[in-house]
Amino acid sequence: MPLPPIPPTSPILHMELTGGAAPGDARRAAHDFLGRPVNGAPAFPPVALDTALLVISELVTNAVRHTSGGCVLDLHLTAGGVDVAVTDTSSAEPRPRKPGHQGEGGWGWHLVNRLGSHVEIRHRGERDGKTIHVHVPR
């Protein structure tokens, strides 16, 4: 069954995030935003919602962990899913690391690229940071 179209003026969520609580704050806000019907389109199905929350959490965690400032989270609903954008203060691109099996990390960038589509890094200037865009299908 095809999804109803979401109008061009589809809802967006915009949040400025800082500190260690940022990933949890982002997950809670995204859950509330994606977990309800909007403009006649149904709420995200549970598996797609969990996938989106994981991608958002990884991007925000990396932004606050690996940069000197906070970040901005933007979510934009589309008929086929959600476009996620996280803007931070570093111009350095994420680098895949060998994932650790003892809790030392290294999984995030791999997960983002595996679970999302159309992953794109847009630099905002040498000193203005970057925005990472990822589409998560419905």
Side-chain angles (χ1 to χ4, degrees):
M1 180 163 125
L3 296 171
I6 296 176
T9 57
S10 64
I12 59 171
L13 172 71
H14 175 84
M15 290 184 73
E16 295 184 19
L17 299 157
T18 58
D25 294 343
R27 277 191 305 274
R28 279 186 293 282
H31 184 274
D32 292 345
F33 180 71
L34 298 171
R36 61 182 165 79
V38 177
N39 292 349
F44 260 57
V47 171
L49 178 60
D50 287 346
T51 300
L53 295 177
L54 181 56
V55 167
I56 291 163
S57 179
E58 290 297 337
L59 289 173
V60 171
T61 297
N62 287 343
V64 298
R65 182 179 289 164
H66 299 292
T67 68
S68 61
C71 66
V72 174
L73 169 67
D74 288 296
L75 303 180
H76 182 256
L77 288 177
T78 68
V82 62
D83 289 330
V84 178
V86 175
T87 302
D88 65 38
T89 59
S90 171
S91 59
E93 291 198 8
R95 290 182 316 224
R97 295 184 0 217
K98 182 177 180 183
H101 297 283
Q102 304 294 322
E104 61 272 17
W107 296 96
W109 190 236
H110 296 287
L111 286 170
V112 167
N113 282 279
R114 177 74 92 156
L115 298 173
S117 63
H118 309 294
V119 177
E120 181 182 0
I121 301 167
R122 296 181 186 165
H123 291 276
R124 301 167 46 84
E126 192 170 314
R127 296 175 193 232
D128 297 324
K130 67 185 168 302
T131 301
I132 299 177
H133 289 263
V134 180
H135 178 77
V136 179
R138 189 179 275 278

